[in-house]
Amino acid sequence: MAAAPVWSVDPRTGNPREQVAVEATAEEVDRAVRAAHAVRGALADRTVRAAFLRTAADLLTEAKEHVVEAADAETALGPARLTGELARTAAQLRAFAEVVEEGAFLDVHIDHEDGSRTPPWPDLRRYKIPLGVVAVYAASNFPLAFSVPGGDTASALAAGCPVVVKAHPDHPATSELCASILRRAAARHDLPEDVLTLVHGFDAGVELVKHPLVSAAGFTGSVRGGRALFDAAAARPAPIPFHGELGSLNPVVVTEAAAAERAEQIGEGLGGSMTMGAGQFCTKPGFVFAPSGEAGDQLLKSLTRTVSGTAGGIMLDHRMRDAFVHGVAERAALPDVEAPVTPGAGGEHTVSPGFLTVPARRLAEEGPHDALLEECFGPVTVVARYDSADEVTAVLSRLPGNLTATLQIATEQADGDAAGLLAELTPLAGRVLVNGWPTGVAVAPAQHHGGPYPATTSTSTSVGATAIERWLRPVSYQTTPEALLPPELREDNPLGLPRRVDGRSA
């Protein structure tokens, strides 16, 4: 049987653009993984790794016009958005180059022999080593920053792990282009090009996570798809870490004092955040608590003006568009649900933004309204009108894990609800915001992009310097002669690494 073709499709029309590749067979996936496994030693030199990552960033930047054009043709995200995403992607690669050079990620600990302790300490030296081949599953909504050259790939390469990327079907041509740029960057530093390989196809993705030489996986996508791969990773004869970002509602709580103080501003901010990128951000605020009464009414009027003035958009593919149209119609039909601005189909290929409202008390117990507590991918949010703090607490207790949780409080006066609500939101998310909006994830050392399941399948972050930790494992050497120790653990610290010696920074 001939291999299935992989087409690049124009989301603005739904028409195929060009055949980019063919779906990889199980034998081709096997060859790709074995080729990556064979070259894992080539990434051992930290200096070369850092230079490779910087060159990859430079080559992506040099090819900006071509990359942005290819990505826009396949995603309809627009040149402005994609230019910013490319800059972020390049900055990510450079940031991990700095992490590699600095070396703290190796987490070096040296404890000298000490017979006076009970029990006695032998000489112990610990650091972290690369896991091996990493499988990366590209995201639909970020064709650059969370795909072939994105954070999972950059952090895995920084850790010293070769990468096999499973391209997302929504942007195969962009994936091929970016893979070729990264492979060219590797060749510039005499690294084998197989430190980064690319495969296409659903079946190829399943084969990849099952392959015995794949040591870990990173995924960004749906709960259904991510959970299936997570289960497959756990069911292997030798289970592997699966770092999946699956879905997030990203709740927002607006206190009564905040609504009374700045209803107009909050409504505008919410409208801008939930419609950004046609509502296709993983951090879109998809569920909002707003107080009943006049202040909440003013907030909704502001939100109505903002959303009504926002043009319809094109989603990443027609399957997502159809799921959005069906999802919002199903939710809008529930008892006591109203649509001040009706979300849904905007045209044959577009969607119109909108929002739904519901009394918070409807969500306090299990029932048909539970659909409102599930992510709906696209430009829609649900506003739950509450009469008391107890109603907020009751609904928060039913929410799943999230990437973010946001609290809007008064700025000009004391807000007595703030501390208690912040404490209630903290267990729900990996990033908690006060008086901000969650769309936009800074690539910073203190960033955490993750959260309780189903936001992610692990406690790690996929953004920021500590994302590298996902692809490493610790190993300790005990009473090992100096000549046999890795350079990172030798007494004279020839590599100048930050480390802790006998429990103290050195």
Side-chain angles (χ1 to χ4, degrees), residues 104-111 123-129 472-478 485-486 488-490 497-500:
F105 74 98
L106 294 169
D107 197 24
V108 176
H109 288 254
I110 295 175
D111 293 323
D123 186 273
L124 286 166
R125 294 163 188 252
R126 177 188 188 272
Y127 79 142
K128 292 181 177 178
I129 62 173
L472 300 162
R473 72 171 181 87
V475 59
S476 290
Y477 291 86
Q478 182 170 328
L485 286 169
E488 292 86 353
L489 298 180
R490 291 176 186 165
L497 293 169
R499 56 189 191 170
R500 293 185 70 83

Side-chain angles (χ1 to χ4, degrees), residues 43 49-50 52-53 56 88-100 105-106 129-137 144-163 165 182 195-196 216-220 243 443 449 460-473:
L43 290 168
R49 289 210 306 270
F52 163 39
L53 292 169
R88 171 209 172 99
T89 304
Q92 242 172 194
L93 288 160
R94 295 188 179 103
F96 278 113
E98 293 178 5
V99 169
V100 171
F105 74 98
L106 294 169
I129 62 173
L131 286 174
V133 178
V134 169
V136 169
Y137 294 80
L144 306 174
F146 285 85
S147 292
V148 174
D152 284 352
T153 297
S155 57
L157 293 171
C161 297
V163 174
V165 182
L182 265 63
V195 296
L196 186 289
F219 171 90
T220 303
H243 301 284
V443 183
H449 189 62
S460 302
T461 179
S462 61
V463 178
T466 54
I468 195 172
E469 296 172 359
R470 297 174 294 169
W471 322 120
L472 300 162
R473 72 171 181 87

Side-chain angles (χ1 to χ4, degrees), residues 208-488:
L208 192 56
V209 80
K210 292 180 178 179
H211 197 287
L213 295 181
V214 167
S215 298
F219 171 90
T220 303
S222 68
V223 173
R224 181 180 178 184
R227 182 55 194 256
L229 291 171
F230 175 72
D231 290 345
R236 292 167 37 131
I240 59 171
F242 183 88
H243 301 284
E245 179 192 318
L246 310 187
S248 187
L249 198 59
N250 304 304
V252 178
V253 179
V254 182
T255 68
E256 287 198 59
E261 178 185 273
R262 49 195 176 88
E264 182 77 19
Q265 179 185 345
I266 292 172
E268 288 179 0
L270 172 59
S273 185
M274 51 84 56
T275 60
M276 186 180 293
Q280 298 174 110
F281 279 45
C282 53
T283 52
K284 178 198 77 175
F287 187 82
V288 183
F289 292 93
S292 300
E294 184 179 350
D297 291 345
Q298 292 302 314
L299 189 158
L300 259 61
K301 287 180 181 178
S302 174
L303 178 60
T304 297
R305 285 193 298 271
T306 302
V307 175
S308 297
T310 302
I314 297 168
M315 296 192 70
L316 293 159
D317 63 38
H318 282 58
R319 175 184 57 83
M320 292 183 190
R321 176 190 175 276
D322 292 346
F324 170 76
V325 172
H326 174 76
V328 295
E330 184 180 65
R331 289 163 171 80
L334 292 168
D336 288 338
V337 173
E338 297 181 0
V341 181
T342 303
E348 185 179 357
H349 306 292
T350 61
V351 294
S352 294
F355 69 96
L356 307 175
T357 65
V358 64
R361 56 181 168 75
R362 275 286 197 177
L363 305 170
E365 296 181 358
E366 185 176 349
H369 288 76
D370 285 359
L372 300 172
L373 303 180
E374 298 173 1
E375 180 184 19
C376 186
F377 195 69
V380 65
T381 196
V382 173
V383 180
R385 302 295 301 272
Y386 67 89
D387 294 317
S388 69
D390 288 343
E391 287 185 353
V392 174
T393 295
V395 179
L396 285 177
S397 70
R398 303 194 62 238
L399 294 188
N402 292 272
L403 293 171
T404 73
T406 300
L407 180 60
Q408 294 287 342
I409 63 173
T411 59
E412 302 296 329
Q413 58 180 318
D415 195 329
D417 295 333
L421 286 168
L422 196 67
E424 290 185 58
L425 289 174
T426 297
L428 294 176
R431 178 163 57 106
V432 181
L433 302 88
V434 177
N435 290 350
W437 297 105
T439 38
V441 184
V443 183
Q447 184 60 270
H448 188 85
H449 189 62
Y453 185 85
T456 50
T457 59
S458 72
T459 59
S460 302
T461 179
S462 61
V463 178
T466 54
I468 195 172
E469 296 172 359
R470 297 174 294 169
W471 322 120
L472 300 162
R473 72 171 181 87
V475 59
S476 290
Y477 291 86
Q478 182 170 328
T479 59
T480 304
E482 180 84 2
L484 297 181
L485 286 169
E488 292 86 353

